[in-house]
Amino acid sequence: APQLIIYDLDGVITDTAEFHFLAWKKLAEELGITFDRQFNEQLKGISRMDSLDRILALGESAASLSAEEKLELATRKNGYYLELIEEINPGHILPGIEALLDDNKQAGIKIALGSASKNAPHILDKLELSDYFDYIVDAAQVTKGKPDPETFTNAADALGIAYENCIGIEDAAAGVDAINSAGMFSVAVGEQAHLGHAHYRVDHTQDLVFQDIIERFHNQPK
Ligand code: G6P
Ligand code: MG
């Protein structure tokens, strides 16, 4: 039976995935690099510096920049992002998520956060959701970001739970890869075109229903 559900933050619990996109887009435009939502799918779940590297590579300007210059750009993007999330409050929790967390807690199944974001603890506080979580993966202690499984295995290891008894919930292709390579059951929210490799996928967060997820977990082909 499942003993732990690990939630991604940006794009699953709240719509900060959109704010990351807007902040990167603003920075990229300042650099004369244009990208669209299709390209942005590749950035979801990817750390701040790795995201910057992908954008610079797209603009073919990666090689010309020093480490200091890159840090300045990443910090600038985070500044834009912080402006966008300033107003975040519990009203920004995506539909269905609070019911899901409530049902998860009532079932006695542990809850963890598996986010690559250094802003994650701050955002959870603003959403007033911190109390639900038994464990939060600290972006600083993860050396290999998604699609590496480390973000998810860290949470399971910290709580002493076997990977096969864990479920991960993601909106990013790289996140689903991470859950799958951890040997966990992957649940995705979003489009089939990006997330077809998940064990179970729904279109919208309100379709993330606790009983459905548990049923799918039990019916997965072994
Ligand atoms: C999450 C988001 C990414 C973001 C990363 C780092 O994984 O999905 O879009 O780049 O966190 O976030 P941070 O807040 O540390 O810049
Ligand atoms: Mg996400």
mmCIF file of all heavy atoms in Angstrom, residues 4 12 23 39-40 49 64 83 88 92 100 102-103 128 136 138 148 152 154 158 163 166 189 197-198 209:
data_model
loop_
_atom_site.group_PDB
_atom_site.id
_atom_site.type_symbol
_atom_site.label_atom_id
_atom_site.label_comp_id
_atom_site.label_asym_id
_atom_site.label_seq_id
_atom_site.Cartn_x
_atom_site.Cartn_y
_atom_site.Cartn_z
ATOM 1 N N LEU A 4 3.602 7.047 1.192
ATOM 2 C CA LEU A 4 4.080 8.429 1.060
ATOM 3 C C LEU A 4 3.675 8.983 -0.302
ATOM 4 O O LEU A 4 3.837 8.307 -1.319
ATOM 5 C CB LEU A 4 5.614 8.453 1.193
ATOM 6 C CG LEU A 4 6.344 9.738 0.807
ATOM 7 C CD1 LEU A 4 5.947 10.896 1.734
ATOM 8 C CD2 LEU A 4 7.863 9.545 0.834
ATOM 9 N N VAL A 12 1.692 22.248 -9.620
ATOM 10 C CA VAL A 12 0.824 21.219 -9.037
ATOM 11 C C VAL A 12 0.013 21.809 -7.886
ATOM 12 O O VAL A 12 -1.216 21.727 -7.875
ATOM 13 C CB VAL A 12 1.633 19.983 -8.551
ATOM 14 C CG1 VAL A 12 0.750 19.029 -7.761
ATOM 15 C CG2 VAL A 12 2.246 19.255 -9.747
ATOM 16 N N ALA A 23 8.846 35.279 -15.768
ATOM 17 C CA ALA A 23 10.110 35.876 -15.316
ATOM 18 C C ALA A 23 11.256 35.516 -16.257
ATOM 19 O O ALA A 23 12.071 36.374 -16.624
ATOM 20 C CB ALA A 23 10.417 35.429 -13.884
ATOM 21 N N PHE A 39 8.947 25.598 -25.835
ATOM 22 C CA PHE A 39 10.300 25.512 -25.278
ATOM 23 C C PHE A 39 10.242 25.504 -23.754
ATOM 24 O O PHE A 39 11.008 24.799 -23.083
ATOM 25 C CB PHE A 39 11.160 26.681 -25.771
ATOM 26 C CG PHE A 39 12.552 26.685 -25.190
ATOM 27 C CD1 PHE A 39 13.544 25.883 -25.728
ATOM 28 C CD2 PHE A 39 12.856 27.473 -24.082
ATOM 29 C CE1 PHE A 39 14.827 25.859 -25.168
ATOM 30 C CE2 PHE A 39 14.128 27.459 -23.521
ATOM 31 C CZ PHE A 39 15.109 26.657 -24.070
ATOM 32 N N ASN A 40 9.319 26.303 -23.198
ATOM 33 C CA ASN A 40 9.205 26.412 -21.740
ATOM 34 C C ASN A 40 8.934 25.078 -21.058
ATOM 35 O O ASN A 40 9.293 24.885 -19.899
ATOM 36 C CB ASN A 40 8.122 27.432 -21.374
ATOM 37 C CG ASN A 40 8.066 27.697 -19.879
ATOM 38 O OD1 ASN A 40 9.045 28.154 -19.288
ATOM 39 N ND2 ASN A 40 6.959 27.375 -19.251
ATOM 40 N N MET A 49 19.813 27.527 -12.328
ATOM 41 C CA MET A 49 20.997 27.666 -13.176
ATOM 42 C C MET A 49 20.890 26.809 -14.440
ATOM 43 O O MET A 49 21.305 27.237 -15.515
ATOM 44 C CB MET A 49 22.278 27.312 -12.396
ATOM 45 C CG MET A 49 22.721 28.387 -11.420
ATOM 46 S SD MET A 49 22.668 30.077 -12.078
ATOM 47 C CE MET A 49 24.310 30.269 -12.656
ATOM 48 N N SER A 64 29.899 32.793 -24.239
ATOM 49 C CA SER A 64 30.505 34.106 -24.054
ATOM 50 C C SER A 64 30.353 34.671 -22.641
ATOM 51 O O SER A 64 30.884 35.729 -22.339
ATOM 52 C CB SER A 64 29.896 35.085 -25.059
ATOM 53 O OG SER A 64 28.492 35.117 -24.885
ATOM 54 N N GLU A 83 8.882 39.360 -7.406
ATOM 55 C CA GLU A 83 7.854 40.404 -7.574
ATOM 56 C C GLU A 83 6.504 39.755 -7.909
ATOM 57 O O GLU A 83 5.466 40.156 -7.393
ATOM 58 C CB GLU A 83 8.216 41.327 -8.744
ATOM 59 C CG GLU A 83 9.046 42.540 -8.358
ATOM 60 C CD GLU A 83 9.550 43.273 -9.598
ATOM 61 O OE1 GLU A 83 8.777 43.443 -10.562
ATOM 62 O OE2 GLU A 83 10.746 43.641 -9.590
ATOM 63 N N ILE A 88 1.060 36.262 -3.484
ATOM 64 C CA ILE A 88 0.498 34.902 -3.339
ATOM 65 C C ILE A 88 -0.124 34.689 -1.963
ATOM 66 O O ILE A 88 0.453 35.082 -0.953
ATOM 67 C CB ILE A 88 1.583 33.836 -3.649
ATOM 68 C CG1 ILE A 88 1.662 33.625 -5.149
ATOM 69 C CG2 ILE A 88 1.296 32.531 -2.948
ATOM 70 C CD1 ILE A 88 2.432 32.399 -5.557
ATOM 71 N N HIS A 92 -4.526 31.208 -3.971
ATOM 72 C CA HIS A 92 -3.788 30.767 -5.158
ATOM 73 C C HIS A 92 -3.486 29.268 -5.160
ATOM 74 O O HIS A 92 -2.736 28.799 -6.019
ATOM 75 C CB HIS A 92 -2.471 31.543 -5.279
ATOM 76 C CG HIS A 92 -2.662 32.987 -5.626
ATOM 77 N ND1 HIS A 92 -2.901 33.940 -4.665
ATOM 78 C CD2 HIS A 92 -2.691 33.624 -6.818
ATOM 79 C CE1 HIS A 92 -3.031 35.126 -5.254
ATOM 80 N NE2 HIS A 92 -2.920 34.964 -6.567
ATOM 81 N N LEU A 100 -7.340 17.194 -1.790
ATOM 82 C CA LEU A 100 -6.409 16.074 -1.967
ATOM 83 C C LEU A 100 -5.504 15.928 -0.742
ATOM 84 O O LEU A 100 -5.313 14.822 -0.214
ATOM 85 C CB LEU A 100 -5.588 16.301 -3.240
ATOM 86 C CG LEU A 100 -4.510 15.278 -3.570
ATOM 87 C CD1 LEU A 100 -5.108 13.892 -3.800
ATOM 88 C CD2 LEU A 100 -3.717 15.716 -4.810
ATOM 89 N N ASP A 102 -6.087 17.040 2.272
ATOM 90 C CA ASP A 102 -6.915 16.628 3.411
ATOM 91 C C ASP A 102 -7.160 15.123 3.395
ATOM 92 O O ASP A 102 -6.988 14.453 4.417
ATOM 93 C CB ASP A 102 -8.280 17.355 3.363
ATOM 94 C CG ASP A 102 -8.210 18.746 3.977
ATOM 95 O OD1 ASP A 102 -7.366 18.960 4.868
ATOM 96 O OD2 ASP A 102 -8.996 19.619 3.550
ATOM 97 N N ASP A 103 -7.568 14.602 2.237
ATOM 98 C CA ASP A 103 -7.838 13.163 2.120
ATOM 99 C C ASP A 103 -6.570 12.351 2.365
ATOM 100 O O ASP A 103 -6.595 11.298 2.998
ATOM 101 C CB ASP A 103 -8.398 12.834 0.726
ATOM 102 C CG ASP A 103 -9.799 13.407 0.535
ATOM 103 O OD1 ASP A 103 -10.416 13.829 1.529
ATOM 104 O OD2 ASP A 103 -10.261 13.445 -0.630
ATOM 105 N N GLU A 128 -0.119 28.956 3.295
ATOM 106 C CA GLU A 128 -0.551 28.403 4.592
ATOM 107 C C GLU A 128 -0.758 26.889 4.517
ATOM 108 O O GLU A 128 -1.723 26.346 5.063
ATOM 109 C CB GLU A 128 -1.812 29.135 5.104
ATOM 110 C CG GLU A 128 -1.525 30.609 5.384
ATOM 111 C CD GLU A 128 -2.754 31.424 5.764
ATOM 112 O OE1 GLU A 128 -3.791 30.843 6.119
ATOM 113 O OE2 GLU A 128 -2.649 32.672 5.688
ATOM 114 N N ILE A 136 10.083 18.251 3.769
ATOM 115 C CA ILE A 136 10.288 19.110 2.607
ATOM 116 C C ILE A 136 11.708 18.889 2.100
ATOM 117 O O ILE A 136 12.665 19.019 2.870
ATOM 118 C CB ILE A 136 10.058 20.592 2.967
ATOM 119 C CG1 ILE A 136 8.575 20.826 3.277
ATOM 120 C CG2 ILE A 136 10.523 21.514 1.835
ATOM 121 C CD1 ILE A 136 8.244 22.209 3.791
ATOM 122 N N ASP A 138 14.892 19.908 0.657
ATOM 123 C CA ASP A 138 15.578 21.180 0.569
ATOM 124 C C ASP A 138 16.406 21.200 -0.732
ATOM 125 O O ASP A 138 17.268 20.341 -0.926
ATOM 126 C CB ASP A 138 16.492 21.304 1.800
ATOM 127 C CG ASP A 138 17.230 22.620 1.836
ATOM 128 O OD1 ASP A 138 17.232 23.334 0.804
ATOM 129 O OD2 ASP A 138 17.807 22.927 2.888
ATOM 130 N N ASP A 148 16.940 13.561 -12.635
ATOM 131 C CA ASP A 148 17.536 12.595 -11.714
ATOM 132 C C ASP A 148 16.514 12.293 -10.604
ATOM 133 O O ASP A 148 15.792 13.188 -10.164
ATOM 134 C CB ASP A 148 18.823 13.171 -11.114
ATOM 135 C CG ASP A 148 19.604 12.142 -10.322
ATOM 136 O OD1 ASP A 148 19.255 11.914 -9.139
ATOM 137 O OD2 ASP A 148 20.544 11.546 -10.886
ATOM 138 N N PHE A 152 13.154 12.875 -5.284
ATOM 139 C CA PHE A 152 12.108 11.997 -4.769
ATOM 140 C C PHE A 152 12.669 10.945 -3.811
ATOM 141 O O PHE A 152 12.066 10.665 -2.771
ATOM 142 C CB PHE A 152 11.342 11.355 -5.939
ATOM 143 C CG PHE A 152 10.550 12.390 -6.692
ATOM 144 C CD1 PHE A 152 11.100 13.062 -7.785
ATOM 145 C CD2 PHE A 152 9.286 12.748 -6.268
ATOM 146 C CE1 PHE A 152 10.390 14.060 -8.447
ATOM 147 C CE2 PHE A 152 8.568 13.739 -6.927
ATOM 148 C CZ PHE A 152 9.125 14.395 -8.022
ATOM 149 N N ASN A 154 15.267 11.225 -1.940
ATOM 150 C CA ASN A 154 15.632 11.940 -0.708
ATOM 151 C C ASN A 154 14.482 11.958 0.290
ATOM 152 O O ASN A 154 14.678 11.722 1.480
ATOM 153 C CB ASN A 154 15.959 13.402 -1.038
ATOM 154 C CG ASN A 154 17.436 13.694 -0.918
ATOM 155 O OD1 ASN A 154 18.226 12.794 -0.673
ATOM 156 N ND2 ASN A 154 17.803 14.938 -1.083
ATOM 157 N N ALA A 158 14.460 9.968 3.813
ATOM 158 C CA ALA A 158 14.340 10.729 5.068
ATOM 159 C C ALA A 158 13.220 10.167 5.937
ATOM 160 O O ALA A 158 13.308 10.185 7.166
ATOM 161 C CB ALA A 158 14.089 12.198 4.769
ATOM 162 N N TYR A 163 10.746 2.835 -1.973
ATOM 163 C CA TYR A 163 10.336 3.612 -3.157
ATOM 164 C C TYR A 163 9.063 3.065 -3.799
ATOM 165 O O TYR A 163 8.235 3.819 -4.309
ATOM 166 C CB TYR A 163 11.471 3.661 -4.193
ATOM 167 C CG TYR A 163 12.769 4.223 -3.649
ATOM 168 C CD1 TYR A 163 13.988 3.910 -4.247
ATOM 169 C CD2 TYR A 163 12.780 5.085 -2.547
ATOM 170 C CE1 TYR A 163 15.185 4.421 -3.750
ATOM 171 C CE2 TYR A 163 13.972 5.585 -2.041
ATOM 172 C CZ TYR A 163 15.177 5.252 -2.646
ATOM 173 O OH TYR A 163 16.347 5.756 -2.153
ATOM 174 N N CYS A 166 5.813 4.588 -2.760
ATOM 175 C CA CYS A 166 5.685 6.045 -2.901
ATOM 176 C C CYS A 166 4.972 6.418 -4.201
ATOM 177 O O CYS A 166 5.088 5.719 -5.216
ATOM 178 C CB CYS A 166 7.062 6.703 -2.929
ATOM 179 S SG CYS A 166 7.997 6.498 -1.403
ATOM 180 N N VAL A 189 -0.148 15.893 -14.000
ATOM 181 C CA VAL A 189 -1.259 16.781 -14.321
ATOM 182 C C VAL A 189 -0.817 17.684 -15.477
ATOM 183 O O VAL A 189 0.197 18.360 -15.392
ATOM 184 C CB VAL A 189 -1.733 17.582 -13.079
ATOM 185 C CG1 VAL A 189 -0.611 18.365 -12.415
ATOM 186 C CG2 VAL A 189 -2.894 18.514 -13.444
ATOM 187 N N HIS A 197 4.391 9.705 -20.496
ATOM 188 C CA HIS A 197 5.180 8.660 -19.833
ATOM 189 C C HIS A 197 4.790 8.449 -18.363
ATOM 190 O O HIS A 197 5.394 7.624 -17.674
ATOM 191 C CB HIS A 197 6.683 8.939 -19.976
ATOM 192 C CG HIS A 197 7.117 10.313 -19.545
ATOM 193 N ND1 HIS A 197 6.424 11.473 -19.845
ATOM 194 C CD2 HIS A 197 8.185 10.724 -18.821
ATOM 195 C CE1 HIS A 197 7.053 12.502 -19.335
ATOM 196 N NE2 HIS A 197 8.118 12.089 -18.702
ATOM 197 N N ALA A 198 3.798 9.202 -17.864
ATOM 198 C CA ALA A 198 3.354 9.004 -16.472
ATOM 199 C C ALA A 198 2.501 7.745 -16.357
ATOM 200 O O ALA A 198 1.831 7.354 -17.316
ATOM 201 C CB ALA A 198 2.553 10.217 -16.005
ATOM 202 N N VAL A 209 -7.946 13.290 -7.738
ATOM 203 C CA VAL A 209 -8.824 12.838 -6.654
ATOM 204 C C VAL A 209 -8.122 11.704 -5.906
ATOM 205 O O VAL A 209 -7.654 10.743 -6.517
ATOM 206 C CB VAL A 209 -10.191 12.373 -7.218
ATOM 207 C CG1 VAL A 209 -11.067 11.788 -6.122
ATOM 208 C CG2 VAL A 209 -10.880 13.536 -7.918
#
